[in-house]
Each structure stands twice: as structure tokens, then as C-alpha cells.
Amino acid sequence: MPRTKEQFEEMRNATRAKIHAAAMQLFVHQGFGSTNVQDIADTAGISIGLLYRHYRTKDQLFHELVDFAVEGLKRNIAYFESDLSPKTLLARFVDEIYTDFMNGEELVNLLILINQSMFAGAGTPSKQHEEILQVNARLLDATARLIRKGQHLGEFRSGDAREMAVFFYASVQGLAEMKVLLKNSFAMPSPSVLTAFLFREGVDVS
């Protein structure tokens, strides 16, 4: 029986997911320059011909992965602008980060991939590079506003909100790099450790 259009689309999406996972793993662990399309095809368990049916070049695949990561940052900005209490929002966000770091490497790889793209594009700024800078700045601003709101409500410790936001993301980025470097010996700090510099003691998360 011939496959339906929906079945073909499902197969196509499954193949792209394999390619994405393989490419992220290789770009992070080997570097973009040291990874070739044959490496990606072999890691994904597909033929190089099938890979080329989805992506014409390695650069196209890399840029699509970075776009995917940037969309995740945009969702975080919208999340931080919701009406829940700042402490609830940040606590849930940190819980998600903790779970993702403990259960897999996708978030870790996406964070490192964005970093790679920013450093690679620093010398020759592109439209994508400029978008990453803008979205990162917006995320930092949204987080700083959230911290100020939490300070006003008595949920967060006092301090410069922007400095605290920078420290928070620097910590998460550093943990992503440590997880890749240390592998099985990596120990993920608990959510309470990640938020100890932010949350005031004795304030419940509702």
C-alpha cells in the first residue's frame, strides 16, 4: 500500500530530527570546522545522499540549528513577561534547566551552539549573528526586569538586577560547557544552589 502524504511527512521529520541530533553532537564535541557531512550522516545512521536531500551544505544545517536555538530564547522572553510571580517564573525556569541537563544533552548542545555561532560571526557579522545579539540583549533585559519586579515584591535579594541576570546566564553557560568537558563526572548543581544568590530565604514559591 502506498504511503500517505502524512506518513511521508512523518518520515521526513524523523530523518531531520536524526540529522539535527547528530550535527549538534558533532559540532559541539568536534567543532564545526572538524565535522564533515559524512560524519553527520554516519552518526545519524543515514546515507550521505539522504542527508543532501535535506541540506545542501553543512553551513545550511548549522544555521538552521542556530535558528532553532534562537526561537527557544524568544520563547523564554515571552515566558518572563507573563503575569506569574517572578520567583515562580524563575523557579520553574531553573527546574526545566536542571531537568534538561540531568536527562540529556539537547539544551547543553544548543547553548554551546549559540556560543559557537556568536564567536564565529564576530569577525564577519551576518543577519543571523545580529539577530542572536539582539535576542540575547532582549533576554537579558527581560530577566533584569523580572529580577527588579521580584526585588520590589520582596521575593529576591537586593542588588543590581542586570548584574544578577548576567551572573545567572554566565553560570548556566558555564555549566553547559562543564557538562561537555567532564562527561560522566559532571555533577549538576541543584535548583536551590542555582538560585541561592537570587531568592530571599523564607519566601515560598506559589
Side-chain angles (χ1 to χ4, degrees):
M1 179 180 294
R3 291 190 177 95
T4 65
K5 182 179 178 180
E6 289 75 18
Q7 287 174 323
F8 273 116
E9 187 63 25
E10 186 176 330
M11 291 171 60
R12 175 180 171 81
N13 290 338
T15 300
R16 290 174 78 89
K18 288 180 183 178
I19 295 171
H20 285 183
M24 278 197 295
Q25 177 186 340
L26 292 169
F27 289 153
V28 167
H29 292 274
Q30 294 183 184
F32 178 81
S34 299
T35 300
N36 59 48
V37 289
Q38 187 66 64
D39 294 331
I40 297 170
D42 291 344
T43 303
I46 62 174
S47 69
I48 194 168
L50 181 56
L51 189 149
Y52 277 126
R53 286 174 61 183
H54 290 268
Y55 298 99
R56 293 189 301 274
T57 65
K58 181 178 69 171
D59 291 77
Q60 181 190 10
L61 172 55
F62 181 81
H63 290 312
E64 183 171 303
L65 290 172
V66 173
D67 283 340
F68 177 76
V70 170
E71 288 304 311
L73 297 181
K74 291 178 180 178
R75 287 193 295 273
N76 289 340
I77 294 170
Y79 172 73
F80 284 157
E81 293 173 345
S82 68
D83 293 331
L84 292 174
S85 82
K87 187 168 185 179
T88 297
L89 287 171
L90 207 54
R92 291 180 181 177
F93 183 59
V94 169
D95 283 343
E96 288 182 10
I97 291 173
Y98 178 82
T99 300
D100 288 344
F101 272 52
M102 290 293 290
N103 295 335
E105 294 186 352
E106 182 175 357
L107 177 59
V108 169
N109 290 342
L110 286 173
L111 290 172
I112 293 177
L113 207 66
I114 288 179
N115 242 23
Q116 287 181 349
S117 179
M118 289 181 69
F119 283 119
T124 55
S126 63
K127 182 178 179 181
Q128 186 181 57
H129 181 257
E130 291 302 320
E131 183 182 21
I132 294 171
L133 292 177
Q134 291 173 8
V135 171
N136 268 314
R138 286 171 52 203
L139 179 61
L140 199 60
D141 288 343
T143 308
R145 286 195 300 271
L146 188 74
I147 293 172
R148 290 189 196 99
K149 183 178 177 182
Q151 290 171 333
H152 179 72
L153 294 173
E155 297 179 342
F156 290 176
R157 298 178 185 274
S158 61
D160 185 289
R162 190 168 185 83
E163 289 181 359
M164 295 166 85
V166 169
F167 181 78
F168 173 73
Y169 288 115
S171 300
V172 174
Q173 186 68 41
L175 287 169
E177 294 173 7
M178 288 183 68
K179 181 174 171 66
V180 171
L181 291 172
L182 298 179
K183 298 177 180 171
N184 292 335
S185 61
F186 173 74
M188 180 65 184
S190 67
S192 62
V193 170
L194 290 174
T195 56
F197 77 102
L198 274 172
F199 294 167
R200 288 184 57 196
E201 296 179 5
V203 179
D204 294 331
V205 178
S206 55

